[in-house]
Amino acid sequence: MRLAFLLFVFLGVLAAACASPTPTPSPTPAPTPTASPTPTSTPTATATPTPTPNPAPTVTPTPTPTSPPTLTPTPTPTAMPSPIPAPLSPLDQDRAALLAIRDALTEPGVLNWNDDLPVSKWNGVIVEGSPERATRLWLHGDRFSGAVPPDIGKLSALVSLSISSDRITGPIPPEVTSLNELTSLEISGDRITGPIPPEISNLTELTSLGLAGEQLTGSIPPEIGNLSKLQWLSIGGDGIEGPLPPELGNLEDLQSLHITGLGIDGPIPPELGRLASLTKLTIRDCGVSGPIPPELGNLANLTSLAIRDSALSGPIPPELGNLTGLWSLYITGRGIDGPLPPELGRLTNLTSLTIRNSNITGPIPPELGELTGLTTLEMSYNRLTGSIPPEFGRLVNLGELWLSGNQLGGPIPPELGNLSNLDILALSRNQLSGEIPPELTSLTGLVLLGLGANELSGEIPMGIGDLARLSWLDLYGNQLTGPIPGEIGRLQNLGVLALSSNRFSGSIPRVLADLESLDVLLLDGNELTGTLPPELGRLGGLSMLTLSNNRFTGPVPLELGRLTSLTELKLGGNRLSGAIPTQFEELTELETLELGPNNFSPGTCLPASFRNIEQLDLGGLDLPFCG
């Protein structure tokens, strides 16, 4: 019985197990579960003394453990995230940098840089390329001021930068040296300060570099010699000091070199003779010393050489005669001495030759007469001796001949009358003798004829009136004689007539009053006679009138009181009589007045306005002020 009962229970359990399905996990999130009834514990079978058949017991299976329910939270409303700004275009970045530069300047209103205009329309800015960038920037003029801010270094596409203003202040911005696309850089202004940064050598693409400023300091960095693509270099400033670096001789592509600055000293480096591409060399207003290097004669492509106002010494190297491509040669400096090299006569392409304000001695080489392309020949204020070469008559293209302030002697060559293109003939302050060649009156294009302070004699050639363009006639300080030719009255363009300190005789030609352009009339120190022409009162533009130390007689014409532009009037040393015209009180611009000695009437007085004249010379006369 016990065995049958146990078998019955076993079969019931087995049947219940087979009837319960196996739970299958869901691949999707479980739905919200419903509560399960509390499981009922399995009853324990109990034996009774008298077994009575009972229905099969219900077996409740042990519940299969399940995953905890997934609870979905109720969504909470949130703010929308801010949109991420689009990156600035390269041109917008340039715009921002330019506006920062504008805002750093004082009075930037002259710049039309604002958001109402595209950058391509901003003045001083060029936009190029794809993508578009600001590639060129010019800041010129004196209407804005201030220092250039570091933002200049953000314009990374610049190929050309030019800052030129006397109101821009501060040092050369170091950020400029990071603009490695630059091919052209110019910074100049009287208030640019500090040294030239050696890091400028980082700008290896530069072909043009100009740095100038009266307050720049320090030396020229030798690192500039590393800018191998440089074709144009200009450096200037009186605060720059020290020698010229010989490394400049490494700039093989350099075509133009311009150096100026009183503090620059030491010799001109002979290494400059290696600059085979150089066409223009200018070293001026600086303290370079020593001789002119003969190596400069190796610069076969040179067309312009100017070495002026320096402390150089010694002779002009004859090797400069090798520079047959030269168009212009300009040398000045009191330390330059020795003779003029005749080799300069080989420079047949020259159009301008200037060697002045030096101690060059000896004669003028006649070989210079071979320079038939010359339009300007300037050799004033040297110590040249001998005569003027008649070969100069071959210089048929010459427009200006300046030989003043030397020790040249002998006659003026009549061959100079062949120079039909001559505008200026300046031979004053020499020891020239003989007569004025009448051939000079054929130079009808002359504007200036300067023969003063020589030893010329004879009369003024009668053809002088043919020089219709003449504005300056200077014959003072010679031994010229005879009357003043009336033909001078035809020179309607004449502004200066200087005939003082000669031996002219006769009276003043009244036709001089026809010279309406006359500003200066100097007739003092001659042997002129007669009365003063009242017609001189028509020369309303006259500022200087000197008639002293002649033999004039008679009264002072009251018409001279009309010359209200006069600043200098000299009447002393004559035999003038009568009274000082009351009209002279109108001469309010007078600064110099010379009245005596003369034979003015007793009781003559001076206009009260003459009290204000700075230089009043009465020559011993007792002339009180009127009133």
Side-chain angles (χ1 to χ4, degrees), residues 275-337:
L275 301 176
S277 299
L278 205 63
T279 62
K280 184 175 182 179
L281 174 59
T282 300
I283 301 174
R284 67 176 184 86
D285 300 320
C286 58
V288 290
S289 57
I292 299 174
E295 289 84 356
L296 298 185
N298 299 329
L299 302 175
N301 288 308
L302 209 60
T303 60
S304 174
L305 174 59
I307 303 174
R308 47 185 291 193
D309 301 322
S310 67
L312 292 172
S313 58
I316 296 174
E319 287 84 356
L320 297 188
N322 299 331
L323 303 176
T324 54
L326 271 185
W327 298 347
S328 175
L329 176 60
Y330 196 123
I331 297 176
T332 66
R334 283 300 176 191
I336 304 295
D337 56 21

Side-chain angles (χ1 to χ4, degrees), residues 396-577:
V396 293
N397 290 303
L398 205 60
E400 299 181 16
L401 177 58
W402 301 82
L403 297 175
S404 300
N406 284 287
Q407 299 170 19
L408 298 170
I412 298 172
E415 289 84 354
L416 296 185
N418 299 330
L419 306 180
S420 58
N421 291 304
L422 208 60
D423 296 321
I424 295 174
L425 178 59
L427 307 178
S428 59
R429 298 181 181 275
N430 279 287
Q431 299 167 14
L432 299 172
S433 58
E435 297 187 353
I436 299 173
E439 289 84 356
L440 297 187
T441 62
S442 66
L443 302 177
T444 55
L446 273 184
V447 174
L448 183 151
L449 177 58
L451 304 178
N454 280 289
E455 299 172 6
L456 299 172
S457 58
E459 299 186 1
I460 297 175
M462 293 302 296
I464 194 72
D466 295 333
L467 304 181
R469 295 186 60 207
L470 206 62
S471 66
W472 187 297
L473 177 58
D474 174 15
L475 301 177
Y476 88 97
N478 281 287
Q479 300 172 20
L480 298 172
T481 57
I484 297 173
E487 284 199 352
I488 291 179
R490 294 164 47 196
L491 304 178
Q492 290 301 301
N493 292 305
L494 202 62
V496 173
L497 176 58
L499 303 180
S500 53
S501 301
N502 278 284
R503 296 169 59 191
F504 292 117
S505 57
S507 60
I508 298 176
R510 296 178 183 271
V511 293
L512 295 188
D514 296 333
L515 301 176
E516 296 179 355
S517 300
L518 204 61
D519 177 60
V520 174
L521 177 58
L522 308 179
L523 300 178
D524 57 289
N526 283 286
E527 300 173 8
L528 298 171
T529 57
T531 59
L532 299 181
E535 291 85 355
L536 293 181
R538 301 207 309 260
L539 299 174
L542 211 60
S543 66
M544 293 179 64
L545 175 60
T546 63
L547 305 173
S548 55
N549 298 316
N550 280 284
R551 300 176 185 175
F552 295 122
T553 57
V556 177
L558 59 87
E559 289 83 358
L560 296 188
R562 301 174 185 167
L563 303 179
T564 54
S565 296
L566 278 180
T567 61
E568 183 172 330
L569 174 61
K570 293 185 177 182
L571 302 175
N574 286 289
R575 301 171 187 172
L576 298 172
S577 57

Side-chain angles (χ1 to χ4, degrees), residues 316 331 333-340 355-365 378-387 402-409 429-431:
I316 296 174
I331 297 176
R334 283 300 176 191
I336 304 295
D337 56 21
L340 282 173
I355 301 173
R356 68 189 306 270
N357 290 344
S358 75
N359 277 308
I360 292 289
T361 58
I364 299 173
E378 225 289 37
M379 294 193 293
S380 298
Y381 300 99
N382 296 298
R383 296 175 60 192
L384 296 170
T385 57
S387 59
W402 301 82
L403 297 175
S404 300
N406 284 287
Q407 299 170 19
L408 298 170
R429 298 181 181 275
N430 279 287
Q431 299 167 14

Side-chain angles (χ1 to χ4, degrees), residues 16-29:
C18 291
S20 300
T22 305
T24 303
S26 173
T28 58

